[in-house]
Amino acid sequence: MDAKEQAAGAVRVRQLLIEPLVRLGLAKPSKLTVAQFDVMITDLCGKLAYMNDLNLSALAEQVASMPGGKGQDQFPIAAKILQWAAAIQPPPDDASPLFRAVFAHRLGQAALAEGWAPELLGYLRRSRVWPREYDLNQIRSKAEDARRQIVRQDEQVARGGMLSDADWNFRKARRQAQDKCQRIAALVAEAGAV
């Protein structure tokens, strides 16, 4: 998503999510100042700019049915809204600051160089947290299993055998995940964050 798309998306979030909730009477959370609330709304608009119109409307309906505060008349905190949004429409991998940070870090660079980036990407999609050492061991082990599977497939073809559709799909999905990881790393490099 380029800067122009991001700005247009943020405007859509304000129109389809924030403004309808304000018209319903939801107020700022009582623990926030007006300035803090404005920052929260601006941040939400930026983070949810990836969502399509239908899913933004669905999110607005969910937020309206689950307001915050003692009187149930306030905006829920941003963390809750982001959590609900991710369940309705997960953000694309290249829009996630976590994914970008991981693939800009030496950890992500090592994963790309050593061939376990697809498994790292899968882990990030599932957990949405920075991997710990235990997680990295599991990720590397999964990658080793995938490499062994590909070697077995290559040996089968070398003996004159054919690969099944499932085998081809496995190889294609892994190659696409590797390419996606490369694109995420390239986005970070282009932005000058590396």
Side-chain angles (χ1 to χ4, degrees):
M1 179 178 286
D2 64 24
K4 189 175 181 179
E5 292 171 325
Q6 177 72 25
V11 168
R12 277 190 5 271
V13 173
R14 195 168 289 278
Q15 292 171 340
L16 296 173
L17 176 68
I18 305 303
E19 290 173 5
L21 294 172
V22 169
R23 283 193 302 273
L24 286 175
L26 290 187
K28 72 170 187 60
S30 58
K31 293 183 181 181
L32 297 180
T33 65
V34 171
Q36 290 171 324
F37 180 66
D38 290 343
V39 169
M40 180 186 97
I41 294 301
T42 300
D43 191 43
L44 270 174
C45 289
K47 288 183 177 180
L48 299 178
Y50 72 90
M51 294 185 78
N52 66 38
D53 292 358
L54 176 63
N55 289 336
L56 280 170
S57 296
L59 179 60
E61 188 174 326
Q62 182 164 341
V63 172
S65 71
M66 302 175 82
K70 288 182 183 175
Q72 300 291 292
D73 61 351
Q74 299 173 9
F75 270 83
I77 62 170
K80 274 209 182 308
I81 295 172
L82 291 171
Q83 184 180 25
W84 296 333
I88 293 170
Q89 182 182 345
D93 301 335
D94 61 359
S96 168
L98 173 65
F99 288 33
R100 287 181 178 216
V102 167
F103 285 103
H105 188 270
R106 60 182 165 76
L107 165 71
Q109 296 302 306
L112 287 164
E114 297 167 14
W116 47 277
E119 288 73 22
L120 177 59
L121 180 63
Y123 168 84
L124 292 170
R125 285 177 177 157
R126 285 187 307 279
S127 67
R128 300 200 93 75
V129 297
W130 195 278
R132 298 166 304 181
E133 194 57 41
Y134 173 80
D135 302 319
L136 292 174
N137 291 335
Q138 298 296 313
I139 291 165
R140 287 184 186 110
S141 176
K142 259 185 157 168
E144 188 56 40
D145 291 344
R147 279 194 290 272
R148 278 195 294 272
Q149 184 175 347
I150 289 171
V151 166
R152 282 193 303 270
Q153 291 171 353
D154 290 344
E155 290 170 351
Q156 178 181 338
V157 170
R159 290 189 306 267
M162 300 287 287
L163 295 182
S164 69
D165 287 343
D167 292 338
W168 283 114
N169 290 338
F170 169 78
R171 293 168 81 100
K172 180 180 175 186
R174 196 155 193 288
R175 187 173 45 253
Q176 288 174 336
Q178 179 74 22
D179 292 346
K180 180 169 276 207
C181 295
Q182 293 282 4
R183 282 193 303 276
I184 294 169
L187 284 171
V188 175
E190 288 172 14
V194 177

Short mmCIF file of all heavy atoms in Angstrom, two decimals, residues 89-154:
data_model
loop_
_atom_site.label_atom_id
_atom_site.label_comp_id
_atom_site.label_asym_id
_atom_site.label_seq_id
_atom_site.Cartn_x
_atom_site.Cartn_y
_atom_site.Cartn_z
N GLN A 89 -10.94 -9.00 9.11
CA GLN A 89 -10.09 -8.94 7.91
C GLN A 89 -8.64 -8.76 8.36
O GLN A 89 -8.23 -7.64 8.67
CB GLN A 89 -10.50 -7.78 6.99
CG GLN A 89 -9.67 -7.70 5.72
CD GLN A 89 -10.06 -6.52 4.85
OE1 GLN A 89 -11.11 -5.91 5.01
NE2 GLN A 89 -9.20 -6.20 3.89
N PRO A 90 -7.90 -9.84 8.43
CA PRO A 90 -6.50 -9.72 8.86
C PRO A 90 -5.73 -8.77 7.94
O PRO A 90 -5.97 -8.75 6.73
CB PRO A 90 -5.95 -11.14 8.74
CG PRO A 90 -7.15 -12.03 8.72
CD PRO A 90 -8.26 -11.22 8.11
N PRO A 91 -4.84 -7.98 8.53
CA PRO A 91 -4.05 -7.07 7.68
C PRO A 91 -3.13 -7.84 6.76
O PRO A 91 -2.67 -8.93 7.13
CB PRO A 91 -3.25 -6.23 8.69
CG PRO A 91 -3.24 -7.02 9.94
CD PRO A 91 -4.47 -7.87 9.93
N PRO A 92 -2.86 -7.32 5.59
CA PRO A 92 -1.90 -7.99 4.71
C PRO A 92 -0.53 -7.99 5.37
O PRO A 92 -0.20 -7.10 6.16
CB PRO A 92 -1.92 -7.15 3.43
CG PRO A 92 -2.49 -5.83 3.82
CD PRO A 92 -3.37 -6.07 5.01
N ASP A 93 0.25 -9.01 5.05
CA ASP A 93 1.56 -9.17 5.68
C ASP A 93 2.43 -7.93 5.53
O ASP A 93 3.13 -7.54 6.46
CB ASP A 93 2.28 -10.37 5.09
CG ASP A 93 1.50 -11.66 5.29
OD1 ASP A 93 0.69 -11.72 6.23
OD2 ASP A 93 1.70 -12.58 4.50
N ASP A 94 2.39 -7.31 4.36
CA ASP A 94 3.28 -6.17 4.14
C ASP A 94 2.81 -4.90 4.83
O ASP A 94 3.52 -3.91 4.87
CB ASP A 94 3.51 -5.93 2.65
CG ASP A 94 2.24 -5.59 1.89
OD1 ASP A 94 1.16 -5.56 2.51
OD2 ASP A 94 2.34 -5.39 0.68
N ALA A 95 1.61 -4.93 5.42
CA ALA A 95 1.11 -3.76 6.13
C ALA A 95 1.42 -3.84 7.63
O ALA A 95 1.26 -2.87 8.34
CB ALA A 95 -0.40 -3.62 5.94
N SER A 96 1.87 -4.98 8.08
CA SER A 96 2.10 -5.18 9.50
C SER A 96 3.47 -4.64 9.92
O SER A 96 4.50 -5.09 9.41
CB SER A 96 2.02 -6.67 9.84
OG SER A 96 2.52 -6.90 11.15
N PRO A 97 3.49 -3.70 10.87
CA PRO A 97 4.78 -3.22 11.37
C PRO A 97 5.61 -4.35 11.98
O PRO A 97 6.83 -4.35 11.86
CB PRO A 97 4.40 -2.18 12.43
CG PRO A 97 3.02 -1.76 12.07
CD PRO A 97 2.37 -2.96 11.43
N LEU A 98 4.94 -5.32 12.61
CA LEU A 98 5.67 -6.45 13.19
C LEU A 98 6.38 -7.24 12.09
O LEU A 98 7.57 -7.55 12.21
CB LEU A 98 4.71 -7.37 13.96
CG LEU A 98 5.32 -8.67 14.48
CD1 LEU A 98 6.39 -8.39 15.53
CD2 LEU A 98 4.23 -9.58 15.04
N PHE A 99 5.67 -7.57 11.02
CA PHE A 99 6.28 -8.35 9.94
C PHE A 99 7.45 -7.58 9.32
O PHE A 99 8.51 -8.14 9.06
CB PHE A 99 5.25 -8.64 8.85
CG PHE A 99 4.20 -9.66 9.24
CD1 PHE A 99 3.73 -9.76 10.53
CD2 PHE A 99 3.66 -10.49 8.29
CE1 PHE A 99 2.76 -10.68 10.87
CE2 PHE A 99 2.68 -11.42 8.62
CZ PHE A 99 2.23 -11.51 9.92
N ARG A 100 7.24 -6.28 9.12
CA ARG A 100 8.30 -5.46 8.54
C ARG A 100 9.52 -5.43 9.45
O ARG A 100 10.64 -5.54 9.00
CB ARG A 100 7.80 -4.05 8.27
CG ARG A 100 6.85 -3.97 7.09
CD ARG A 100 6.40 -2.56 6.86
NE ARG A 100 5.52 -2.49 5.71
CZ ARG A 100 5.50 -1.47 4.87
NH1 ARG A 100 6.29 -0.44 5.03
NH2 ARG A 100 4.67 -1.48 3.85
N ALA A 101 9.28 -5.26 10.74
CA ALA A 101 10.39 -5.21 11.69
C ALA A 101 11.15 -6.53 11.74
O ALA A 101 12.39 -6.54 11.78
CB ALA A 101 9.88 -4.84 13.08
N VAL A 102 10.42 -7.64 11.73
CA VAL A 102 11.08 -8.94 11.79
C VAL A 102 11.96 -9.15 10.56
O VAL A 102 13.11 -9.58 10.67
CB VAL A 102 10.05 -10.09 11.93
CG1 VAL A 102 10.69 -11.45 11.67
CG2 VAL A 102 9.43 -10.06 13.32
N PHE A 103 11.44 -8.83 9.38
CA PHE A 103 12.22 -9.08 8.16
C PHE A 103 13.29 -8.02 7.92
O PHE A 103 14.20 -8.23 7.12
CB PHE A 103 11.31 -9.30 6.95
CG PHE A 103 10.68 -10.65 6.99
CD1 PHE A 103 9.35 -10.81 7.37
CD2 PHE A 103 11.42 -11.79 6.70
CE1 PHE A 103 8.78 -12.07 7.45
CE2 PHE A 103 10.85 -13.06 6.78
CZ PHE A 103 9.53 -13.20 7.16
N ALA A 104 13.23 -6.90 8.63
CA ALA A 104 14.31 -5.91 8.57
C ALA A 104 15.42 -6.27 9.55
O ALA A 104 16.57 -5.91 9.35
CB ALA A 104 13.77 -4.52 8.90
N HIS A 105 15.06 -7.00 10.59
CA HIS A 105 15.99 -7.40 11.65
C HIS A 105 16.92 -8.50 11.14
O HIS A 105 16.60 -9.21 10.18
CB HIS A 105 15.15 -7.89 12.84
CG HIS A 105 15.91 -8.16 14.09
ND1 HIS A 105 16.44 -9.38 14.37
CD2 HIS A 105 16.22 -7.35 15.14
CE1 HIS A 105 17.03 -9.33 15.55
NE2 HIS A 105 16.92 -8.11 16.03
N ARG A 106 18.04 -8.69 11.83
CA ARG A 106 18.97 -9.76 11.44
C ARG A 106 18.31 -11.13 11.49
O ARG A 106 18.65 -12.02 10.73
CB ARG A 106 20.23 -9.72 12.29
CG ARG A 106 20.03 -9.89 13.75
CD ARG A 106 21.35 -9.77 14.53
NE ARG A 106 21.13 -9.58 15.93
CZ ARG A 106 20.75 -10.55 16.76
NH1 ARG A 106 20.58 -11.77 16.34
NH2 ARG A 106 20.54 -10.28 18.04
N LEU A 107 17.30 -11.28 12.35
CA LEU A 107 16.55 -12.54 12.43
C LEU A 107 15.87 -12.84 11.10
O LEU A 107 16.00 -13.94 10.56
CB LEU A 107 15.50 -12.43 13.55
CG LEU A 107 14.39 -13.47 13.57
CD1 LEU A 107 14.97 -14.81 14.00
CD2 LEU A 107 13.30 -13.05 14.53
N GLY A 108 15.16 -11.86 10.55
CA GLY A 108 14.48 -12.06 9.27
C GLY A 108 15.46 -12.22 8.13
O GLY A 108 15.23 -13.02 7.21
N GLN A 109 16.56 -11.48 8.18
CA GLN A 109 17.58 -11.60 7.13
C GLN A 109 18.20 -13.00 7.15
O GLN A 109 18.44 -13.60 6.10
CB GLN A 109 18.65 -10.52 7.31
CG GLN A 109 18.13 -9.11 7.14
CD GLN A 109 17.50 -8.89 5.77
OE1 GLN A 109 18.10 -9.13 4.74
NE2 GLN A 109 16.26 -8.42 5.76
N ALA A 110 18.43 -13.54 8.35
CA ALA A 110 18.95 -14.91 8.47
C ALA A 110 17.94 -15.92 7.92
O ALA A 110 18.30 -16.86 7.22
CB ALA A 110 19.29 -15.23 9.92
N ALA A 111 16.67 -15.70 8.23
CA ALA A 111 15.62 -16.61 7.74
C ALA A 111 15.59 -16.61 6.22
O ALA A 111 15.45 -17.68 5.60
CB ALA A 111 14.27 -16.21 8.31
N LEU A 112 15.72 -15.44 5.62
CA LEU A 112 15.74 -15.36 4.15
C LEU A 112 16.97 -16.07 3.58
O LEU A 112 16.86 -16.83 2.63
CB LEU A 112 15.72 -13.89 3.71
CG LEU A 112 14.39 -13.17 3.88
CD1 LEU A 112 14.58 -11.67 3.79
CD2 LEU A 112 13.39 -13.66 2.85
N ALA A 113 18.11 -15.83 4.17
CA ALA A 113 19.35 -16.40 3.66
C ALA A 113 19.41 -17.91 3.87
O ALA A 113 19.95 -18.63 3.01
CB ALA A 113 20.54 -15.73 4.35
N GLU A 114 18.86 -18.39 4.97
CA GLU A 114 18.98 -19.81 5.31
C GLU A 114 17.78 -20.65 4.87
O GLU A 114 17.76 -21.86 5.07
CB GLU A 114 19.18 -19.95 6.82
CG GLU A 114 20.49 -19.31 7.29
CD GLU A 114 20.57 -19.15 8.79
OE1 GLU A 114 19.74 -19.75 9.52
OE2 GLU A 114 21.46 -18.40 9.25
N GLY A 115 16.76 -20.01 4.29
CA GLY A 115 15.64 -20.77 3.72
C GLY A 115 14.52 -21.12 4.67
O GLY A 115 13.71 -22.00 4.36
N TRP A 116 14.42 -20.48 5.82
CA TRP A 116 13.30 -20.77 6.71
C TRP A 116 12.34 -19.59 6.86
O TRP A 116 11.49 -19.55 7.75
CB TRP A 116 13.76 -21.29 8.07
CG TRP A 116 14.87 -20.54 8.76
CD1 TRP A 116 16.21 -20.69 8.56
CD2 TRP A 116 14.74 -19.55 9.78
NE1 TRP A 116 16.91 -19.84 9.38
CE2 TRP A 116 16.04 -19.14 10.15
CE3 TRP A 116 13.65 -18.97 10.41
CZ2 TRP A 116 16.28 -18.18 11.12
CZ3 TRP A 116 13.89 -18.00 11.39
CH2 TRP A 116 15.18 -17.62 11.73
N ALA A 117 12.41 -18.65 5.93
CA ALA A 117 11.51 -17.49 5.95
C ALA A 117 10.04 -17.88 5.80
O ALA A 117 9.18 -17.30 6.49
CB ALA A 117 11.93 -16.48 4.88
N PRO A 118 9.68 -18.85 4.93
CA PRO A 118 8.24 -19.19 4.83
C PRO A 118 7.66 -19.67 6.16
O PRO A 118 6.53 -19.32 6.51
CB PRO A 118 8.22 -20.31 3.79
CG PRO A 118 9.42 -20.04 2.94
CD PRO A 118 10.47 -19.54 3.90
N GLU A 119 8.44 -20.43 6.90
CA GLU A 119 7.95 -20.92 8.19
C GLU A 119 7.89 -19.79 9.21
O GLU A 119 6.97 -19.74 10.04
CB GLU A 119 8.84 -22.06 8.69
CG GLU A 119 8.66 -23.37 7.92
CD GLU A 119 9.26 -23.35 6.51
OE1 GLU A 119 10.16 -22.54 6.23
OE2 GLU A 119 8.83 -24.18 5.69
N LEU A 120 8.83 -18.85 9.14
CA LEU A 120 8.80 -17.68 10.02
C LEU A 120 7.56 -16.84 9.71
O LEU A 120 6.86 -16.39 10.62
CB LEU A 120 10.07 -16.85 9.85
CG LEU A 120 10.15 -15.54 10.65
CD1 LEU A 120 10.03 -15.81 12.15
CD2 LEU A 120 11.45 -14.82 10.34
N LEU A 121 7.26 -16.66 8.44
CA LEU A 121 6.07 -15.91 8.04
C LEU A 121 4.81 -16.60 8.56
O LEU A 121 3.90 -15.94 9.09
CB LEU A 121 6.01 -15.78 6.52
CG LEU A 121 4.83 -15.03 5.94
CD1 LEU A 121 4.82 -13.57 6.40
CD2 LEU A 121 4.85 -15.08 4.41
N GLY A 122 4.74 -17.91 8.44
CA GLY A 122 3.59 -18.66 8.96
C GLY A 122 3.42 -18.47 10.46
O GLY A 122 2.30 -18.29 10.96
N TYR A 123 4.53 -18.51 11.18
CA TYR A 123 4.49 -18.29 12.62
C TYR A 123 3.95 -16.89 12.94
O TYR A 123 3.09 -16.73 13.81
CB TYR A 123 5.89 -18.47 13.23
CG TYR A 123 5.96 -17.98 14.65
CD1 TYR A 123 5.57 -18.80 15.70
CD2 TYR A 123 6.38 -16.69 14.95
CE1 TYR A 123 5.60 -18.35 17.01
CE2 TYR A 123 6.41 -16.23 16.25
CZ TYR A 123 6.02 -17.06 17.28
OH TYR A 123 6.03 -16.59 18.56
N LEU A 124 4.46 -15.89 12.24
CA LEU A 124 4.02 -14.51 12.48
C LEU A 124 2.54 -14.34 12.20
O LEU A 124 1.83 -13.64 12.92
CB LEU A 124 4.84 -13.53 11.65
CG LEU A 124 6.31 -13.39 12.04
CD1 LEU A 124 7.06 -12.58 10.99
CD2 LEU A 124 6.44 -12.77 13.41
N ARG A 125 2.06 -14.98 11.15
CA ARG A 125 0.63 -14.89 10.82
C ARG A 125 -0.23 -15.47 11.94
O ARG A 125 -1.29 -14.95 12.26
CB ARG A 125 0.34 -15.64 9.53
CG ARG A 125 0.78 -14.93 8.29
CD ARG A 125 0.51 -15.78 7.07
NE ARG A 125 0.86 -15.09 5.85
CZ ARG A 125 1.15 -15.71 4.71
NH1 ARG A 125 1.14 -17.03 4.65
NH2 ARG A 125 1.47 -15.02 3.65
N ARG A 126 0.22 -16.60 12.51
CA ARG A 126 -0.56 -17.26 13.55
C ARG A 126 -0.47 -16.54 14.89
O ARG A 126 -1.47 -16.35 15.57
CB ARG A 126 -0.07 -18.70 13.74
CG ARG A 126 -0.49 -19.66 12.68
CD ARG A 126 -0.13 -21.11 13.02
NE ARG A 126 1.27 -21.28 13.36
CZ ARG A 126 2.28 -21.39 12.49
NH1 ARG A 126 2.02 -21.34 11.20
NH2 ARG A 126 3.52 -21.55 12.89
N SER A 127 0.72 -16.15 15.30
CA SER A 127 0.91 -15.67 16.66
C SER A 127 0.89 -14.15 16.80
O SER A 127 0.50 -13.64 17.84
CB SER A 127 2.23 -16.19 17.22
OG SER A 127 3.31 -15.60 16.50
N ARG A 128 1.38 -13.45 15.77
CA ARG A 128 1.47 -12.00 15.77
C ARG A 128 2.28 -11.48 16.95
O ARG A 128 1.97 -10.44 17.54
CB ARG A 128 0.10 -11.36 15.69
CG ARG A 128 -0.64 -11.79 14.42
CD ARG A 128 -1.75 -10.88 14.01
NE ARG A 128 -1.40 -9.86 13.06
CZ ARG A 128 -1.17 -10.05 11.75
NH1 ARG A 128 -1.18 -11.26 11.26
NH2 ARG A 128 -0.91 -9.05 10.97
N VAL A 129 3.33 -12.21 17.32
CA VAL A 129 4.30 -11.78 18.34
C VAL A 129 5.70 -12.09 17.85
O VAL A 129 5.90 -13.00 17.02
CB VAL A 129 4.08 -12.45 19.72
CG1 VAL A 129 2.73 -12.08 20.31
CG2 VAL A 129 4.23 -13.95 19.64
N TRP A 130 6.68 -11.34 18.36
CA TRP A 130 8.08 -11.57 18.01
C TRP A 130 8.47 -12.96 18.51
O TRP A 130 8.22 -13.30 19.65
CB TRP A 130 8.95 -10.50 18.68
CG TRP A 130 10.31 -10.44 18.09
CD1 TRP A 130 11.36 -11.25 18.41
CD2 TRP A 130 10.79 -9.55 17.10
NE1 TRP A 130 12.47 -10.90 17.67
CE2 TRP A 130 12.15 -9.85 16.86
CE3 TRP A 130 10.20 -8.50 16.39
CZ2 TRP A 130 12.92 -9.15 15.95
CZ3 TRP A 130 10.97 -7.81 15.48
CH2 TRP A 130 12.31 -8.14 15.26
N PRO A 131 9.09 -13.78 17.66
CA PRO A 131 9.41 -15.15 18.08
C PRO A 131 10.51 -15.19 19.14
O PRO A 131 11.47 -14.44 19.08
CB PRO A 131 9.88 -15.82 16.78
CG PRO A 131 10.24 -14.71 15.86
CD PRO A 131 9.47 -13.51 16.27
N ARG A 132 10.31 -16.08 20.11
CA ARG A 132 11.33 -16.33 21.14
C ARG A 132 12.23 -17.46 20.67
O ARG A 132 11.99 -18.06 19.63
CB ARG A 132 10.64 -16.72 22.45
CG ARG A 132 9.74 -15.62 23.01
CD ARG A 132 8.84 -16.17 24.07
NE ARG A 132 8.10 -17.28 23.44
CZ ARG A 132 7.20 -18.02 24.01
NH1 ARG A 132 6.88 -17.82 25.24
NH2 ARG A 132 6.58 -18.99 23.37
N GLU A 133 13.24 -17.75 21.44
CA GLU A 133 14.21 -18.78 21.04
C GLU A 133 13.53 -20.14 20.84
O GLU A 133 13.81 -20.84 19.88
CB GLU A 133 15.34 -18.89 22.08
CG GLU A 133 16.54 -19.66 21.58
CD GLU A 133 17.15 -19.11 20.29
OE1 GLU A 133 17.26 -17.88 20.14
OE2 GLU A 133 17.51 -19.93 19.42
N TYR A 134 12.63 -20.49 21.74
CA TYR A 134 11.91 -21.76 21.60
C TYR A 134 11.13 -21.77 20.28
O TYR A 134 11.14 -22.77 19.55
CB TYR A 134 10.95 -21.96 22.78
CG TYR A 134 10.06 -23.16 22.61
CD1 TYR A 134 10.52 -24.45 22.89
CD2 TYR A 134 8.75 -23.03 22.14
CE1 TYR A 134 9.71 -25.55 22.71
CE2 TYR A 134 7.93 -24.12 21.96
CZ TYR A 134 8.42 -25.38 22.25
OH TYR A 134 7.62 -26.49 22.06
N ASP A 135 10.45 -20.67 19.99
CA ASP A 135 9.68 -20.57 18.75
C ASP A 135 10.59 -20.71 17.53
O ASP A 135 10.24 -21.39 16.57
CB ASP A 135 8.95 -19.22 18.68
CG ASP A 135 8.02 -19.00 19.86
OD1 ASP A 135 7.34 -19.96 20.28
OD2 ASP A 135 7.99 -17.87 20.37
N LEU A 136 11.76 -20.08 17.60
CA LEU A 136 12.70 -20.15 16.48
C LEU A 136 13.17 -21.58 16.24
O LEU A 136 13.32 -22.01 15.10
CB LEU A 136 13.89 -19.23 16.72
CG LEU A 136 13.56 -17.74 16.69
CD1 LEU A 136 14.78 -16.92 17.09
CD2 LEU A 136 13.06 -17.33 15.31
N ASN A 137 13.38 -22.33 17.32
CA ASN A 137 13.77 -23.74 17.16
C ASN A 137 12.67 -24.53 16.46
O ASN A 137 12.94 -25.36 15.59
CB ASN A 137 14.10 -24.36 18.52
CG ASN A 137 15.37 -23.81 19.12
OD1 ASN A 137 16.25 -23.34 18.39
ND2 ASN A 137 15.48 -23.84 20.44
N GLN A 138 11.42 -24.26 16.83
CA GLN A 138 10.28 -24.94 16.20
C GLN A 138 10.17 -24.54 14.72
O GLN A 138 9.90 -25.38 13.86
CB GLN A 138 8.98 -24.59 16.93
CG GLN A 138 8.93 -25.04 18.37
CD GLN A 138 8.99 -26.54 18.49
OE1 GLN A 138 8.29 -27.26 17.80
NE2 GLN A 138 9.86 -27.03 19.35
N ILE A 139 10.37 -23.26 14.44
CA ILE A 139 10.28 -22.75 13.07
C ILE A 139 11.36 -23.40 12.21
O ILE A 139 11.09 -23.88 11.10
CB ILE A 139 10.42 -21.21 13.07
CG1 ILE A 139 9.18 -20.57 13.71
CG2 ILE A 139 10.66 -20.67 11.67
CD1 ILE A 139 9.36 -19.11 14.08
N ARG A 140 12.58 -23.44 12.72
CA ARG A 140 13.69 -24.05 11.96
C ARG A 140 13.45 -25.54 11.73
O ARG A 140 13.77 -26.07 10.68
CB ARG A 140 15.01 -23.82 12.68
CG ARG A 140 15.49 -22.39 12.60
CD ARG A 140 16.86 -22.24 13.26
NE ARG A 140 17.26 -20.87 13.31
CZ ARG A 140 17.34 -20.13 14.42
NH1 ARG A 140 17.03 -20.66 15.58
NH2 ARG A 140 17.72 -18.88 14.36
N SER A 141 12.89 -26.20 12.73
CA SER A 141 12.58 -27.63 12.60
C SER A 141 11.54 -27.87 11.51
O SER A 141 11.67 -28.79 10.69
CB SER A 141 12.08 -28.18 13.94
OG SER A 141 11.69 -29.52 13.82
N LYS A 142 10.51 -27.02 11.47
CA LYS A 142 9.49 -27.12 10.42
C LYS A 142 10.11 -26.89 9.05
O LYS A 142 9.76 -27.55 8.07
CB LYS A 142 8.40 -26.07 10.65
CG LYS A 142 7.15 -26.57 11.26
CD LYS A 142 6.13 -25.45 11.30
CE LYS A 142 4.76 -26.03 11.37
NZ LYS A 142 3.76 -25.03 11.67
N ALA A 143 11.02 -25.94 8.98
CA ALA A 143 11.68 -25.63 7.71
C ALA A 143 12.52 -26.81 7.25
O ALA A 143 12.56 -27.13 6.06
CB ALA A 143 12.53 -24.38 7.84
N GLU A 144 13.18 -27.46 8.19
CA GLU A 144 14.00 -28.63 7.85
C GLU A 144 13.11 -29.75 7.32
O GLU A 144 13.47 -30.42 6.34
CB GLU A 144 14.80 -29.09 9.08
CG GLU A 144 15.82 -30.16 8.77
CD GLU A 144 16.81 -29.75 7.68
OE1 GLU A 144 17.24 -28.60 7.64
OE2 GLU A 144 17.13 -30.62 6.83
N ASP A 145 11.96 -29.94 7.93
CA ASP A 145 11.00 -30.94 7.43
C ASP A 145 10.57 -30.60 6.00
O ASP A 145 10.49 -31.50 5.15
CB ASP A 145 9.77 -31.01 8.33
CG ASP A 145 10.06 -31.58 9.71
OD1 ASP A 145 11.14 -32.21 9.89
OD2 ASP A 145 9.22 -31.40 10.62
N ALA A 146 10.31 -29.33 5.74
CA ALA A 146 9.90 -28.91 4.40
C ALA A 146 11.02 -29.16 3.39
O ALA A 146 10.77 -29.64 2.28
CB ALA A 146 9.50 -27.44 4.40
N ARG A 147 12.24 -28.84 3.78
CA ARG A 147 13.38 -29.07 2.86
C ARG A 147 13.55 -30.56 2.56
O ARG A 147 13.81 -30.94 1.42
CB ARG A 147 14.66 -28.49 3.46
CG ARG A 147 14.78 -26.99 3.24
CD ARG A 147 16.18 -26.51 3.54
NE ARG A 147 16.51 -26.55 4.94
CZ ARG A 147 16.26 -25.56 5.80
NH1 ARG A 147 15.70 -24.45 5.38
NH2 ARG A 147 16.59 -25.67 7.07
N ARG A 148 13.39 -31.40 3.60
CA ARG A 148 13.49 -32.86 3.37
C ARG A 148 12.40 -33.33 2.42
O ARG A 148 12.64 -34.17 1.56
CB ARG A 148 13.41 -33.60 4.71
CG ARG A 148 14.72 -33.65 5.46
CD ARG A 148 14.70 -34.69 6.58
NE ARG A 148 13.77 -34.37 7.63
CZ ARG A 148 14.06 -33.61 8.69
NH1 ARG A 148 15.25 -33.09 8.82
NH2 ARG A 148 13.16 -33.38 9.61
N GLN A 149 11.20 -32.79 2.58
CA GLN A 149 10.10 -33.16 1.69
C GLN A 149 10.42 -32.79 0.25
O GLN A 149 10.17 -33.57 -0.68
CB GLN A 149 8.81 -32.48 2.15
CG GLN A 149 7.59 -32.87 1.36
CD GLN A 149 6.31 -32.27 1.91
OE1 GLN A 149 6.28 -31.74 3.02
NE2 GLN A 149 5.25 -32.34 1.14
N ILE A 150 10.98 -31.62 0.04
CA ILE A 150 11.34 -31.18 -1.31
C ILE A 150 12.44 -32.07 -1.89
O ILE A 150 12.39 -32.45 -3.07
CB ILE A 150 11.73 -29.69 -1.31
CG1 ILE A 150 10.47 -28.85 -1.08
CG2 ILE A 150 12.42 -29.29 -2.62
CD1 ILE A 150 10.72 -27.38 -0.85
N VAL A 151 13.43 -32.43 -1.07
CA VAL A 151 14.51 -33.32 -1.53
C VAL A 151 13.92 -34.67 -1.93
O VAL A 151 14.28 -35.23 -2.99
CB VAL A 151 15.60 -33.49 -0.44
CG1 VAL A 151 16.53 -34.64 -0.75
CG2 VAL A 151 16.38 -32.19 -0.27
N ARG A 152 13.01 -35.21 -1.13
CA ARG A 152 12.36 -36.50 -1.48
C ARG A 152 11.60 -36.38 -2.80
O ARG A 152 11.62 -37.28 -3.64
CB ARG A 152 11.42 -36.95 -0.36
CG ARG A 152 12.13 -37.57 0.82
CD ARG A 152 11.17 -38.28 1.76
NE ARG A 152 10.11 -37.43 2.26
CZ ARG A 152 10.18 -36.70 3.37
NH1 ARG A 152 11.26 -36.72 4.11
NH2 ARG A 152 9.15 -35.96 3.76
N GLN A 153 10.91 -35.25 -2.98
CA GLN A 153 10.19 -35.04 -4.24
C GLN A 153 11.15 -34.96 -5.41
O GLN A 153 10.89 -35.55 -6.47
CB GLN A 153 9.36 -33.75 -4.15
CG GLN A 153 8.21 -33.82 -3.20
CD GLN A 153 7.54 -32.47 -2.98
OE1 GLN A 153 8.02 -31.44 -3.45
NE2 GLN A 153 6.43 -32.47 -2.24
N ASP A 154 12.26 -34.26 -5.24
CA ASP A 154 13.26 -34.15 -6.31
C ASP A 154 13.83 -35.52 -6.65
O ASP A 154 14.03 -35.85 -7.83
CB ASP A 154 14.39 -33.19 -5.91
CG ASP A 154 13.95 -31.74 -5.86
OD1 ASP A 154 12.87 -31.43 -6.42
OD2 ASP A 154 14.67 -30.93 -5.25
#
